[in-house]
């Protein structure tokens, strides 16, 4: 597969210095930027999917007339969290 490039990016010297100051052993500025881009893309895709699920859920509730009170949802989430904590922490 052929590679592609991003446009060059002008930044404040302090930002470049800060980025270089956190490089790990063997890491390049280019690899840091690539990792940051990948993580940002992944996070934005996850956010978009989350919003889409929420909008779909709202549509489903309006269509079916079935709504769940916030207290019931919170109680269920707390039950799941407590069970997971018990499993992980003993």
């Amino acid at each position: 597969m052929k590679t592609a490039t991003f446009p060059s990016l002008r930044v404040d010297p302090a930002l470049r210095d800060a980025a270089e100051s956190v490089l790990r052993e063997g890491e390049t500025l280019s690899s840091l930027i690539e990792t940051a881009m990948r993580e940002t893309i992944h996070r934005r895709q996850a956010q978009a999917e989350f919003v889409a699920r929420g909008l779909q859920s709202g549509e489903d509730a309006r269509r079916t007339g079935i709504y769940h009170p916030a207290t019931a949802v919170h109680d269920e989430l707390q039950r799941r969290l407590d069970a997971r904590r018990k499993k992980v922490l003993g």
Side-chain angles (χ1 to χ4, degrees):
M1 180 174 85
K2 292 177 83 175
T3 60
T5 60
F6 282 106
S8 62
L9 176 66
R10 293 204 176 277
V11 297
D12 185 89
L15 179 59
R16 182 181 173 113
D17 291 344
E20 288 176 339
S21 74
V22 297
L23 292 177
R24 296 184 176 145
E25 186 176 331
E27 187 176 37
T28 64
L29 194 53
S30 292
S31 66
L32 175 68
I33 293 168
E34 181 182 356
T35 298
M37 298 261 321
R38 289 181 188 280
E39 290 174 355
T40 299
I41 291 166
H42 176 63
R43 184 177 59 254
R44 289 185 182 184
Q45 288 172 334
Q47 288 170 340
E49 291 166 4
F50 176 81
V51 169
R53 286 193 310 272
L55 292 172
Q56 184 62 53
S57 179
E59 287 296 322
D60 291 346
R62 282 186 287 284
R63 182 178 43 77
T64 64
I66 299 172
Y67 292 84
H68 302 279
T71 54
V73 173
H74 292 164
D75 291 346
E76 174 61 19
L77 291 173
Q78 188 63 55
R79 185 193 65 74
R80 289 182 186 190
L81 181 59
D82 291 344
R84 181 67 179 155
R85 280 186 178 143
K86 184 176 181 180
K87 183 177 181 179
V88 170
L89 300 176

